[in-house]
Amino acid sequence: TYLKNLRILKINIELCGTIATQLKSLSRIYLFVDDFKINDKYLMKLKNLKLNHIEITGKNLKVIEYKSFHSFKRIRNLKIVIRETSIKDLPANLFDLGLIPNLFIELINNTFMTQLNSNVFYPNVSIWSKFGTRNFIGGIAIRGKNELVCNCNHEWYGVWLRRWLKEKSQIETFSKLDYQNTLQVNFKVEFDKS
């Protein structure tokens, strides 16, 4: 028989990589991270080309280094979920994975996350202008309690969403639920007290 879903793995990540590469039919992996940081060594052994869903969770997790997901550039359809961590912000170029035909990023209940800059997804403005939302055809969803502070640094996301919805609707039709799931963003408004 084939194991298709590995739900929660609380194990040395090196062993996790060894296990995942042996399971040729593995398509989803849910990683519970006990450490405060993950990097490319953490995930680079998960090179199973059938892998299409990576979910990372862990209250102790505060840092994801920028090359952590770079070993997944050859996967054709990929959903990366970062859920319920203590990450404050994500590093530049974290999701610069080239043109994965169907890449979807989802950030859920990362209660300390206050910033989300465009350079997390795009290395520079010319790449954003040239490729638009094609780098993230699956979408970028921000849900739950991500305490993003409402400021001009997040304007790019509104522009990105409008362009993504326009480009995506030219390719396929959406259900009302698809729109609602994509557009659910919570911003925390802070006022300058000076």
Side-chain angles (χ1 to χ4, degrees):
T1 66
Y2 291 101
L3 178 65
K4 288 193 177 234
N5 293 305
L6 186 59
R7 290 293 302 167
I8 297 174
L9 188 63
K10 193 171 185 178
I11 194 168
N12 180 317
I13 197 68
E14 306 241 341
L15 183 55
C16 169
T18 304
I19 291 170
T21 55
Q22 299 302 314
L23 300 169
K24 302 298 182 196
S25 64
L26 183 67
S27 62
R28 292 174 172 241
I29 191 161
Y30 299 80
L31 298 172
F32 177 80
V33 181
D34 239 353
D35 294 336
F36 81 97
K37 170 174 98 170
I38 61 173
N39 55 34
D40 59 336
K41 291 178 195 170
Y42 227 116
L43 299 171
M44 68 190 274
K45 292 187 177 185
L46 299 175
K47 289 186 178 180
N48 183 334
L49 293 180
K50 290 186 179 179
L51 194 64
N52 61 27
H53 183 109
I54 302 165
E55 188 162 326
I56 296 172
T57 186
K59 289 290 183 192
N60 294 336
L61 183 59
K62 294 182 178 185
V63 176
I64 298 180
E65 291 187 356
Y66 82 97
K67 287 187 176 182
S68 294
F69 298 111
H70 286 205
S71 62
F72 301 112
K73 287 184 176 185
R74 294 181 51 214
I75 294 177
R76 301 205 35 86
N77 297 302
L78 182 60
K79 179 178 183 177
I80 298 173
V81 179
I82 300 173
R83 171 193 298 271
E84 297 172 1
T85 69
S86 295
I87 294 170
K88 290 186 179 186
D89 58 2
L90 297 169
N93 300 320
L94 179 64
F95 298 118
D96 179 21
L97 302 177
L99 291 173
I100 292 177
N102 192 11
L103 178 59
F104 177 57
I105 307 297
E106 189 169 25
L107 305 171
I108 306 170
N109 294 331
N110 298 290
T111 55
F112 298 101
M113 187 177 294
T114 59
Q115 295 293 318
L116 187 61
N117 294 315
S118 62
N119 65 4
V120 171
F121 303 93
Y122 296 95
N124 57 51
V125 176
S126 64
I127 297 293
W128 155 246
S129 299
K130 182 177 179 181
F131 292 107
T133 64
R134 284 182 290 170
N135 289 29
F136 301 94
I137 286 178
I140 299 172
I142 303 170
R143 299 184 222 276
K145 293 185 178 185
N146 296 292
E147 296 291 335
L148 295 175
V149 176
C150 187
N151 63 37
C152 294
N153 291 334
H154 297 121
E155 179 184 7
W156 75 270
Y157 187 60
V159 171
W160 187 92
L161 271 175
R162 284 188 295 279
R163 183 169 176 175
W164 180 79
L165 289 169
K166 180 179 178 186
E167 290 174 1
K168 189 92 168 159
S169 67
Q170 292 171 354
I171 298 169
E172 59 189 73
T173 53
F174 281 119
S175 71
K176 188 175 181 180
L177 183 59
D178 288 335
Y179 279 114
Q180 288 172 343
N181 287 338
T182 304
L183 296 175
Q184 184 181 21
V185 180
N186 298 324
F187 282 103
K188 177 180 166 184
V189 179
E190 289 187 353
F191 297 98
D192 188 5
K193 295 179 181 178
S194 56

